[in-house]
Amino acid sequence: MCSVDPDGVIEMTRATGTLDISKGDVMCRKCASAVAEVVLRVRDAYCRDCFLAYFTHKFRSTIGKSKQIHPGDRILVGLSGGASSTALLHLIREGLQESSHKKLRFDPVFLYVDECVLFGSVDEVCDHVHKVVEQVASLGFQCYVAALEQVMALQPVLPVLRTQEWKEMKHTVDENLRKKFCELFTSCKSASAQQDLHDQLLQTVLRQCAHSLGFRKMFLGDNSTTLSVRILSQVALGRGSQLPARVHFKAASQSVEVYRPMRELLENEILHYLNLQDITVLRPPTFQPKNTSIASCTEEFVRSLQNDFPATIPTIFRTGDKLVSTTTQAEKEHDSSADSLTSDDFCALCGSTLDTEKGEASALHATVVSQKYSSKRPQEINAVPVQECGKVKSDGETSPDPGGGMCGCAKAGGGCSKTNMNVDQKWEMSKTLEQCLCYGCRVTLRDLADTGLLPAKVQATVAEQKQRKIMKEQIQDFLL
Amino acid sequence: MPVKCTADCGRNAVLKRPKTGDALCKECFFRAFEEEVHHTITAAKLFVPGDYVAIAASGGKDSTVLAYVMKLLNDRYNYGLKLVLLSVDEGITGYRDDSLETVKRNEQQYGIPLKVVSYEELYGWTMDRIVEQTGRRSNCTFCGVFRRQALDRGAALLGVDKIVTGHNADDIAETVLMNILRGDVARLQRCTAIVTGSEGVISRSKPFKYTYEKEIVMYAYFKRLDYFSTECIYSPNAYRGHARVFLKDLEKVRATSIIDVIHSGESFSVREGVKMPTQSICERCGHVSSQAVCKACVLLEGLNKGKPRLGLGKSSKVEEHLARQSTDSSGTTQTPTDAPHTAQPSHTPSRSTHSNTLRTLHSLDF
């Protein structure tokens, strides 16, 4: 319903026609002395200088008002090569060259994550990395390059510093890691799982690089438009608890603080900026699975709604800003000791705080209950099972089997204990794995044909957490 | 070759469950459906034995199935509840009068007593007449606000302890999405709660919170339950429609996305420092309100004074109007005073013989 302001609710009005400035007769609304060249927000016309001033001011004030970036800070800036990243690169350079007191004072170093593993070994795609490095170097900055497939390695790989001379060398490719990565991706049964996995792995690589290069702070070029789409798609994926970490200006995760200085700039504003400054945008190859995924469905929805209701993206963005995760709120209230968040409380795949301690009256528990009553796989639940029949597992434990058959060959009517054992072990492994993942990652996990293909680091983390859980149980009575 | 039921009961499967995709036979599906609702009720501790519970019944699929399942579970698990059906007549010809017939049939079929309250009695306006005044754009606002209060007043009349409504998982997921799109953080925080209500208001709960709409239809179909299934004739233009289409698309991509959205909704709360509306009581009718005068009174005021868009635009206009009312009443006697406790007929040409201002909860007598 379209209701009034006391709740801060925005009245959704339909879009009227955009202001037409092509005839060159509309004056800038700010200085009223120059001809307008840019239209923002449907009807606001700006001249070139006023627009550039507005744009750069927004960027600097986002950084300045947060008071989180101090002079001399070493910051790793993640680039994708797209419009937002390119604008970020140029804004940083302008800001550093500024001679007034508004000069930006930090030391940026740039990082590009090479994703050509996703596209096979097409040469022109792999040449993109050269172009990006060139662009960064031409502005006088250092650029590191990391490969997406390095997330599959057990030990983090140090990103390589690319220099001008390197242009002639082909960068080394670890074929083994590439193969593992491709296997993992092809084992995804749905496009949504692929896209989500890609997103999480990319974030992991960025964090790993920052950590191994010794940076505490990182900039990412997310703009308002992509963040609004992300807010809705994260909600749709069940990752609502991670919303603050992916959307707010500052997000502290484990050892790196991630900042998003472009967050208040809309996509069309960025395009105007690049256009006015005559900056060419390299077109990075973007990963687009063929079928519809949750993320692509959301993006389409937001963009089409934005056409009809121009207040959509700003509203979604502002809403996202006001939200925090319930788990972190609760922890803040309970204790303030730094040890309260042990490594056992983080998801093994995406590294975010676990949001699965929800109690019995929750959506999470409801899905567990549903599976219990209709699925063929037995679940370990504390509720009263409807049919009790003990089932001996491979390691000798009995577990109640609530009316579900265990083995696929129950259908065929024959029992084969050997297959039972293997299915048992696999099921046991995926159960353990599931306990170490957040809700969103569990949903993605269901779409993976073979969980053994997950990155080695993830599996190592799971094994470690399992071990710690056993240790904790042993000393449970003595923990205060 | 017939597929076997995956709950391993040996029977052939006759349906594929929308929620999990498993193939189930009829009996196992019924059991799964009922047990899940039972689990929702017990885990959230919705009732205590001896509660007098009103089931908000519209005659649609959710409320029909809700009435059926509540009665079934109450008997099977001895909740010890006394049940009553509570129905609201908005006065929409061709829609509400038909669905009310369904509710009356339900009364007979399930053996649960029925009470009907109407907008005509409570407010002096039917939805048909409201739409004539305001057009089709914001009629859902009127209906929604009035219905919420109508349910509360009906429940107060009956003296019930709790109300249950048939909101299902799709509704809640849709509400989460819609509140994000509209920027309504206050509602966003409340909408995933299974029990809503506060001091002085009868609490309402949603036993179908985790039940998919498709499964409710499937249950009704296989159990041959009788319900009325047409869209409200005034609904197509609501903004909620966009959120609904989006949710349906998400469901097509991945069936669990409805529950995923609800989980996300349960996982966030509002940051400290964000201004939120505080709760108080309406000066005029005593109902719970976040403003000095509750929304229903404001809307009604607008309708009665010939300014139907009063509650739908800027709050400043509402304040101006109300301020003018009080200065007028202290001056000339041409406009009637809006005394909350007396029921005076207004001087403006009225199409109803009832008073057009809301009486306080205490002075209602039907």
Side-chain angles (χ1 to χ4, degrees):
Chain A
M1 49 189 199
C2 305
S3 65
V4 294
D5 280 42
D7 298 343
V9 172
I10 313 295
E11 167 134 11
M12 285 299 165
T13 43
R14 285 204 170 253
T16 45
T18 320
L19 189 61
D20 178 19
I21 54 165
S22 52
K23 298 195 204 70
D25 53 350
V26 180
M27 303 307 278
C28 169
R29 74 194 291 264
K30 202 162 165 198
C31 62
S33 54
V35 175
E37 290 187 50
V38 163
V39 176
L40 301 179
R41 294 181 291 270
V42 183
R43 305 204 73 82
D44 293 343
Y46 290 87
C47 68
R48 185 204 158 88
D49 291 333
C50 289
F51 170 75
L52 289 175
Y54 156 83
F55 190 79
T56 37
H57 170 76
K58 230 178 179 183
F59 171 70
R60 294 204 198 134
S61 74
T62 308
I63 299 179
K65 71 187 175 192
S66 69
K67 298 199 194 345
Q68 298 287 330
I69 310 294
H70 308 296
D73 276 343
R74 285 177 70 237
I75 300 187
L76 187 63
V77 182
L79 293 181
S80 67
S84 244
S85 305
T86 314
L88 180 59
L89 174 64
H90 283 84
L91 281 169
I92 289 180
R93 194 197 49 156
E94 261 179 51
L96 289 176
Q97 285 178 337
E98 176 81 38
S99 51
S100 70
H101 67 283
K102 289 192 227 161
K103 178 178 165 149
L104 289 177
R105 292 170 212 276
F106 54 80
D107 295 327
V109 170
F110 293 80
L111 169 72
Y112 174 71
V113 178
D114 179 16
E115 298 188 333
C116 64
V117 64
L118 294 168
F119 305 99
S121 335
V122 181
D123 270 334
E124 63 235 23
V125 162
C126 294
D127 279 343
H128 186 75
V129 65
H130 295 266
K131 294 197 198 115
V132 172
V133 173
E134 215 176 283
Q135 196 183 45
V136 175
S138 69
L139 294 181
F141 294 116
Q142 288 184 319
C143 186
Y144 283 93
V145 174
L148 184 58
E149 60 265 20
Q150 75 176 52
V151 73
M152 306 298 293
L154 191 54
Q155 296 304 324
V157 174
L158 207 61
V160 184
L161 182 61
R162 301 298 188 186
T163 54
Q164 283 287 68
E165 296 82 52
W166 161 81
K167 222 175 14 171
E168 287 77 46
M169 300 171 356
K170 271 203 107 59
H171 60 147
T172 47
V173 161
D174 191 333
E175 277 307 324
N176 192 21
L177 291 179
R178 279 206 168 194
K179 201 167 70 107
K180 281 195 196 161
F181 191 89
C182 291
E183 268 175 15
L184 175 60
F185 259 61
T186 42
S187 82
C188 289
K189 289 187 267 186
S190 74
S192 310
Q194 269 189 345
Q195 202 140 24
D196 187 42
L197 203 55
H198 168 249
D199 190 29
Q200 300 309 324
L201 294 178
L202 181 59
Q203 297 300 308
T204 311
V205 171
L206 288 170
R207 272 200 311 271
Q208 277 179 352
C209 288
H211 185 72
S212 53
L213 288 173
F215 284 91
R216 296 295 318 266
K217 298 188 180 177
M218 209 165 129
F219 272 10
L220 289 182
D222 296 318
N223 62 46
S224 210
T225 309
T226 52
L227 286 177
S228 298
V229 172
R230 182 174 300 160
I231 289 171
L232 276 185
S233 63
Q234 295 283 291
V235 167
L237 287 167
R239 290 182 185 276
S241 61
Q242 296 152 20
L243 212 56
R246 299 300 306 276
V247 160
H248 286 182
F249 174 69
K250 174 178 170 181
S253 79
Q254 293 177 343
S255 54
V256 180
E257 292 166 351
V258 177
Y259 297 92
R260 299 185 166 89
M262 306 284 284
R263 66 194 300 270
E264 298 193 15
L265 297 165
L266 290 167
E267 192 181 68
N268 64 341
E269 293 173 354
I270 292 177
L271 292 174
H272 282 310
Y273 170 78
L274 295 170
N275 193 23
L276 287 180
Q277 300 277 58
D278 269 331
I279 301 170
T280 43
V281 182
L282 304 165
R283 302 208 161 281
T286 41
F287 176 58
Q288 303 261 356
K290 278 192 292 281
N291 301 326
T292 333
S293 66
I294 301 272
S296 65
C297 182
T298 312
E299 175 142 10
E300 209 180 287
F301 170 70
V302 172
R303 285 186 191 276
S304 74
L305 198 63
Q306 172 73 10
N307 281 336
D308 288 331
F309 298 95
T312 305
I313 286 182
T315 310
I316 300 176
F317 178 75
R318 267 197 295 278
T319 314
D321 228 6
K322 295 181 191 168
L323 298 172
V324 291
S325 159
T326 42
T327 37
T328 39
Q329 284 277 60
E331 269 147 8
K332 267 194 206 147
E333 283 159 27
H334 287 156
D335 53 20
S336 49
S337 68
D339 295 331
S340 60
L341 283 178
T342 61
S343 61
D344 301 346
D345 293 343
F346 291 108
C347 171
L349 184 57
C350 63
S352 51
T353 324
L354 285 182
D355 57 352
T356 47
E357 292 297 311
K358 285 273 177 190
E360 292 236 335
S362 64
L364 178 61
H365 204 79
T367 51
V368 170
V369 172
S370 299
Q371 281 183 321
K372 171 186 166 190
Y373 285 111
S374 52
S375 172
K376 62 182 168 211
R377 285 189 294 167
Q379 308 289 327
E380 282 148 347
I381 302 171
N382 297 331
V384 176
V386 178
Q387 289 171 13
E388 293 256 30
C389 63
K391 184 143 176 58
V392 179
K393 298 261 228 67
S394 51
D395 50 1
E397 286 176 352
T398 42
S399 71
D401 181 357
M406 173 52 153
C407 170
C409 41
K411 265 199 213 152
C416 45
S417 55
K418 186 153 177 259
T419 333
N420 248 351
M421 208 86 99
N422 287 339
V423 174
D424 250 335
Q425 274 172 345
K426 276 212 148 173
W427 181 82
E428 178 77 40
M429 257 169 40
S430 63
K431 270 281 113 195
T432 323
L433 180 57
E434 221 180 64
Q435 295 304 317
C436 301
L437 298 180
C438 65
Y439 185 92
C441 290
R442 288 187 193 186
V443 175
T444 303
L445 190 74
R446 274 181 232 141
D447 280 348
L448 285 182
D450 185 359
T451 58
L453 294 173
L454 284 173
K457 193 93 190 1
V458 173
Q459 304 199 23
T461 314
V462 171
E464 184 193 319
Q465 284 189 14
K466 182 173 168 191
Q467 191 58 27
R468 283 184 66 84
K469 209 174 262 169
I470 297 175
M471 280 160 50
K472 192 170 177 183
E473 270 166 38
Q474 288 177 342
I475 56 171
Q476 190 59 46
D477 295 333
F478 300 94
L479 287 175
L480 289 173
Chain B
M1 180 187 140
V3 182
K4 285 275 183 227
C5 172
T6 53
D8 214 38
C9 60
R11 286 183 281 257
N12 286 338
V14 300
L15 57 91
K16 190 171 121 167
R17 224 189 141 179
K19 194 170 186 180
T20 58
D22 295 311
L24 291 177
C25 66
K26 222 165 59 170
E27 291 78 14
C28 288
F29 172 64
F30 292 157
R31 201 194 88 212
F33 186 90
E34 291 152 12
E35 291 305 309
E36 282 171 22
V37 178
H38 172 62
H39 177 265
T40 307
I41 292 175
T42 46
K45 300 190 182 48
L46 294 183
F47 310 119
V48 291
D51 269 346
Y52 184 18
V53 176
I55 303 173
S58 62
K61 60 177 172 4
D62 296 328
S63 49
T64 304
V65 176
L66 179 65
Y68 180 87
V69 172
M70 284 292 288
K71 182 148 169 70
L72 189 148
L73 293 177
N74 192 29
D75 293 338
R76 183 185 290 175
Y77 289 107
N78 296 319
Y79 292 161
L81 306 175
K82 182 171 158 210
L83 299 174
V84 64
L85 292 171
L86 178 58
S87 197
V88 176
D89 178 7
E90 300 104 343
I92 302 178
T93 345
Y95 169 68
R96 189 48 82 204
D97 36 358
D98 286 343
S99 67
L100 272 181
E101 290 307 307
T102 311
V103 187
K104 288 181 188 146
R105 275 201 300 278
N106 287 340
E107 184 188 17
Q108 305 301 316
Q109 291 161 340
Y110 309 151
I112 309 176
L114 166 66
K115 166 95 188 123
V116 181
V117 290
S118 72
Y119 283 8
E120 183 73 55
E121 300 168 343
L122 288 173
Y123 310 115
W125 286 82
T126 61
M127 274 315 292
D128 283 342
R129 289 209 335 264
I130 291 177
V131 173
E132 273 172 47
Q133 290 271 297
T134 65
R136 292 210 170 201
R137 209 179 72 164
S138 313
N139 25 295
C140 294
T141 304
F142 282 90
C143 195
V145 173
F146 285 167
R147 185 177 326 109
R148 170 173 281 271
Q149 284 218 4
L151 268 178
D152 284 337
R153 285 163 194 277
L157 278 174
L158 288 169
V160 300
D161 299 311
K162 296 183 174 137
I163 303 176
V164 290
T165 54
H167 289 98
N168 56 44
D170 296 54
D171 290 330
I172 299 195
E174 205 178 276
T175 308
V176 170
L177 293 174
M178 194 176 87
N179 285 330
I180 294 178
L181 290 173
R182 285 171 57 230
D184 194 342
V185 274
R187 284 207 178 86
L188 191 55
Q189 196 169 28
R190 296 195 300 260
C191 68
T192 45
I194 195 169
V195 180
T196 48
S198 49
E199 273 302 307
V201 170
I202 300 175
S203 68
R204 351 174 132 202
S205 44
K206 308 176 179 105
F208 279 172
K209 184 182 173 194
Y210 301 117
T211 318
Y212 279 35
E213 191 173 33
K214 279 212 176 67
E215 298 217 335
I216 293 178
V217 175
M218 208 176 247
Y219 187 85
Y221 174 75
F222 281 108
K223 283 257 181 186
R224 298 183 181 280
L225 298 177
D226 164 35
Y227 67 83
F228 179 73
S229 66
T230 315
E231 276 283 306
C232 173
I233 51 182
Y234 297 132
S235 77
N237 301 316
Y239 186 72
R240 184 180 270 264
H242 293 110
R244 175 172 300 147
V245 167
F246 178 45
L247 188 68
K248 289 296 147 200
D249 287 338
L250 284 180
E251 194 188 358
K252 267 191 238 127
V253 173
R254 183 184 263 175
T256 60
S257 44
I258 297 179
I259 295 274
D260 296 340
V261 172
I262 299 181
H263 175 84
S264 296
E266 289 173 351
S267 305
F268 44 60
S269 62
V270 182
R271 185 163 52 90
E272 284 163 34
V274 174
K275 195 167 84 93
M276 300 269 269
T278 48
Q279 200 178 53
S280 56
I281 308 223
C282 173
E283 313 174 323
R284 296 202 182 180
C285 66
H287 199 263
V288 154
S289 161
S290 61
Q291 312 297 320
V293 179
C294 75
K295 192 69 155 191
C297 288
V298 168
L299 291 176
L300 208 50
E301 173 81 12
L303 283 173
N304 293 338
K305 298 288 185 296
K307 294 163 107 189
R309 299 209 67 81
L310 187 60
L312 305 170
K314 300 198 170 123
S315 55
S316 50
K317 302 269 188 226
V318 175
E319 279 159 19
E320 265 176 46
H321 178 95
L322 293 174
R324 224 180 304 126
Q325 288 292 308
S326 50
T327 50
D328 277 348
S329 69
S330 58
T332 60
T333 48
Q334 252 139 24
T335 39
T337 54
D338 288 329
H341 294 280
T342 51
Q344 283 179 354
S346 62
H347 291 272
T348 50
S350 158
R351 295 179 232 193
S352 154
T353 50
H354 294 270
S355 158
N356 286 12
T357 51
L358 278 168
R359 297 159 166 189
T360 57
L361 275 169
H362 313 294
S363 64
L364 280 172
D365 50 69
F366 283 93

